[in-house]
Amino acid sequence: MAILFDSDINWETCLQFGTRQFFKEKQCIYQQGTMGEGFYYIQKGLVKVTTKTTNGKERMLNIAIPGQLLGIQAMDRKPHFTTATAVNDTVLYYFSCEHFQKLINYQPLILHMVIRTVIHKMHILADKIYLDTFTPEQQLSVILLNICYEFKNYEVPLSQQELTKCTGLTRITIYKILKQWKENEIIEVHGKKIIINNPDELKKIKG
C-alpha cells in the first residue's frame, strides 16, 4: 500500500475510535446535498467521488484509494458537495465529529493530515471548472496526480480496468493513453499498479 505523508500515523491503532462499515460495488456512501456528520477512512476498496454540474451532468472529481480520507470537507456539519460511490466492495471506518475529538487527542498528527486533506479537496473542486474542456489524456493525468498528492511515492494501485470503471473513459482510450505514456517513459505498468516515473511531464499534460 502507498504511504501517506504522515507516515508516523498508525491507522490500525486508530480504527478503534471508528465504526467499521461495508459497502458493496456501486453502493452510494454519501450523496451530494446530504448533511455531513463525520468522515471515512478507506481500509479496502476504491471510491469514486463525483459532483453534479448546474445542468445535472455528473462529473468525476477523484478516485479515493486505501489509506485516504473521504468526506472530510463536510465535517462542519454542512451538506456534502460531492457524492461518493463504491467502485468495488469497500471497507470503510466512519468517524463522527465526536469520534474525531477523541482521535486527535489520541493521535495529534491526524489533525495536520485532515487540514492538508481539506485544502487538497478544495483544489480538486477548483479543477472541476476546467474538466469539461479537458481531453481524455488531461482528465487521466488530473486523476492520477490527485491520487498521488497525498502520498510520498508515485505508485498508483489501480489497474486499467479499474481506471475505466472510475473515469468513464473507454477501455481502448485508457489503453492507448497509458501505452503512449509508457513509450515516453512517463509511467510503468505492473499488473494492478501504475508507477509514475516523470510526474513533471504528467503535470505538463494536465496543463
Side-chain angles (χ1 to χ4, degrees), residues 10-120:
N10 183 349
W11 271 98
E12 292 304 313
T13 64
C14 297
L15 299 183
Q16 60 180 303
F17 297 100
T19 304
R20 188 178 187 273
Q21 297 185 1
F22 175 77
F23 292 87
K24 292 184 177 180
E25 180 178 348
K26 296 183 179 180
Q27 187 175 354
C28 180
I29 297 165
Y30 60 78
Q31 188 82 32
Q32 184 173 344
T34 58
M35 296 299 292
E37 295 287 345
F39 70 94
Y40 300 85
Y41 170 82
I42 305 173
Q43 186 183 51
K44 179 183 177 182
L46 299 172
V47 177
K48 180 168 66 172
V49 181
T50 60
T51 189
K52 283 191 177 180
T53 61
T54 52
N55 61 7
K57 183 180 178 181
E58 185 179 86
R59 169 62 62 187
M60 195 192 74
L61 298 177
N62 196 22
I63 304 167
I65 63 177
Q68 289 186 314
L69 305 183
L70 186 68
I72 206 157
Q73 62 271 31
M75 279 284 288
D76 54 0
R77 290 187 169 92
K78 291 189 178 177
H80 287 284
F81 38 81
T82 60
T83 294
T85 307
V87 176
N88 47 22
D89 290 350
T90 300
V91 177
L92 306 176
Y93 276 80
Y94 176 72
F95 295 86
S96 66
C97 295
E98 291 73 21
H99 288 153
F100 179 60
Q101 187 59 54
K102 294 178 183 177
L103 188 60
I104 59 175
N105 288 337
Y106 175 76
Q107 179 55 270
L109 281 175
I110 288 178
L111 182 59
H112 300 291
M113 177 184 171
V114 165
I115 292 170
R116 278 205 304 276
T117 300
V118 170
I119 292 171
H120 176 50

Side-chain angles (χ1 to χ4, degrees), residues 134-146:
F134 279 5
T135 65
E137 192 175 30
Q138 288 175 312
Q139 290 179 40
L140 193 56
S141 66
V142 168
I143 293 301
L144 293 181
L145 288 169
N146 282 343

